[in-house]
Amino acid sequence: MIRYKSLEEIEIMRESAMLVSETLGMLAAEVKPGVSPLALDALAEQFIRDHNAVPGFLGLYDCPNTLLTSVNEQVVHGIPTDRPLEEGDIVSIDCGVFKNGFYGDQAFTFMVGKVSDEVFALLKTTYEALYLGLAELKVGNRIGDIGNAIETYATSKGYGVVKELVGHGLGQQLHEEPQVPNFGKRGKGKKIQEGLVVAIEPMINMGTHRVKQLKDGWTIVTHDGKPSAHYEHDVAVVNGLPEILSSFEPVFRVTGNPFGS
Ligand code: MG
Ligand code: MG
């Protein structure tokens, strides 16, 4: 069952979403060669607790950490390790918070130092695909329109769209109905209605769309070992149109916007 949110609830959710955004912005200044994901995880947990919230992932489904950090060929659900990031790596940092009874959930794939042109193109396409997808979250459309926009754009560039993991409804639970796949058919799926709040999160692979899970029971990696990118926003339907509750501005205040828009 989909639980639609009132305008008051959406304002509370904006606060949760923006705390994740500010956490990512804090981390943006720390992501550099030599820093370990585990060190970033500790900073994020402290930052969230200092803002009167609790980490949203920690302990949920037995998740051991505040962040999920997925490096290079890792797609999502990477568990932070003490292995330092290296120049040219990319790292998807996915973070959740729980505040005032509602979750925020957002991800950004960071460049560690300078990355190759090929990898940058993958990041830019994934970032753009997120915005193309969320623009379809409006009354009159269906859930399939979101995934169709993402899939059409990513595959036009020759990339693989991950099918096994999807976006989701968001609210008092981290994962609510409906599922929001990053692929789909236009005009198919549930009707989008006022008050729907979802996390939209394309996971796009440089090579094959196929993925597998590591023996740790968490980390998802690409089947061919090529890199994967992941960007995520929390988006509500307000007055029939998409309203983004999270923001990449805190990150871009630190790094500048490498994608130009
Ligand atoms: Mg997430
Ligand atoms: Mg999510």
Side-chain angles (χ1 to χ4, degrees):
M1 190 192 74
I2 297 176
R3 196 178 166 281
Y4 297 94
K5 277 75 182 180
S6 66
L7 282 175
E8 291 75 16
E9 288 173 319
I10 287 170
E11 283 315 306
I12 296 169
M13 290 193 69
R14 190 193 308 276
E15 200 177 317
S16 300
M18 281 306 300
L19 179 54
V20 184
S21 305
E22 295 293 346
T23 306
L24 293 173
M26 179 277 295
L27 293 172
E30 307 293 334
V31 172
K32 57 187 83 156
V35 172
S36 75
L38 209 49
L40 298 174
D41 183 73
L43 290 171
E45 177 171 359
Q46 191 61 52
F47 186 87
I48 291 165
R49 294 193 190 282
D50 286 347
H51 288 80
N52 304 315
V54 294
F57 299 167
L58 184 65
L60 193 67
Y61 316 118
D62 292 326
C63 178
N65 292 90
T66 293
L67 301 179
L68 293 166
T69 54
S70 306
V71 181
N72 297 337
E73 79 283 0
Q74 298 179 349
V75 179
V76 287
H77 299 173
I79 302 295
T81 70
D82 59 7
R83 184 181 165 176
L85 297 169
E86 294 177 20
E87 177 82 21
D89 283 347
I90 53 173
V91 56
S92 154
I93 299 183
D94 195 347
C95 181
V97 307
F98 186 68
K99 185 172 185 179
N100 300 322
F102 287 88
Y103 283 92
D105 177 18
Q106 192 188 9
F108 189 90
T109 300
F110 291 88
M111 296 178 269
V112 182
K114 186 160 169 46
V115 305
S116 70
D117 292 348
E118 198 183 18
V119 166
F120 179 77
L122 173 69
L123 298 187
K124 187 168 194 282
T125 295
T126 308
Y127 174 88
E128 289 168 347
L130 168 60
Y131 284 90
L132 290 171
L134 70 84
E136 301 291 334
L137 186 83
K138 55 190 178 188
V139 171
N141 277 4
R142 290 176 181 266
I143 291 294
D145 297 329
I146 298 168
N148 183 265
I150 292 169
E151 180 182 32
T152 300
Y153 187 60
T155 56
S156 79
K157 307 273 187 176
Y159 297 137
V161 177
V162 175
K163 303 254 188 344
E164 287 82 351
L165 299 122
V166 297
H168 49 91
L170 184 72
Q172 290 170 300
Q173 307 292 324
L174 179 64
H175 295 124
E176 298 188 354
E177 290 186 43
Q179 292 198 345
V180 185
N182 296 305
F183 59 95
K185 290 196 165 63
R186 193 154 280 286
K188 297 289 182 186
K190 291 200 171 70
K191 279 184 180 171
I192 292 166
Q193 296 184 42
E194 188 74 11
L196 180 66
V197 182
V198 295
I200 300 178
E201 48 180 318
M203 293 154 241
I204 308 295
N205 298 346
M206 187 178 285
T208 178
H209 69 87
R210 293 177 61 216
V211 297
K212 57 186 179 183
Q213 190 171 44
L214 296 185
K215 289 199 183 72
D216 64 9
W218 279 92
T219 316
I220 306 293
V221 298
T222 57
H223 211 273
D224 57 10
K226 291 186 177 174
S228 180
H230 177 216
Y231 292 91
E232 178 177 26
H233 265 319
D234 301 338
V235 193
V237 182
V238 178
N239 296 324
L241 295 172
E243 185 160 319
I244 307 175
L245 304 180
S246 48
S247 173
F248 293 134
E249 280 311 309
V251 169
F252 294 156
R253 278 204 294 270
V254 175
T255 65
N257 181 348
F259 308 122
S261 62

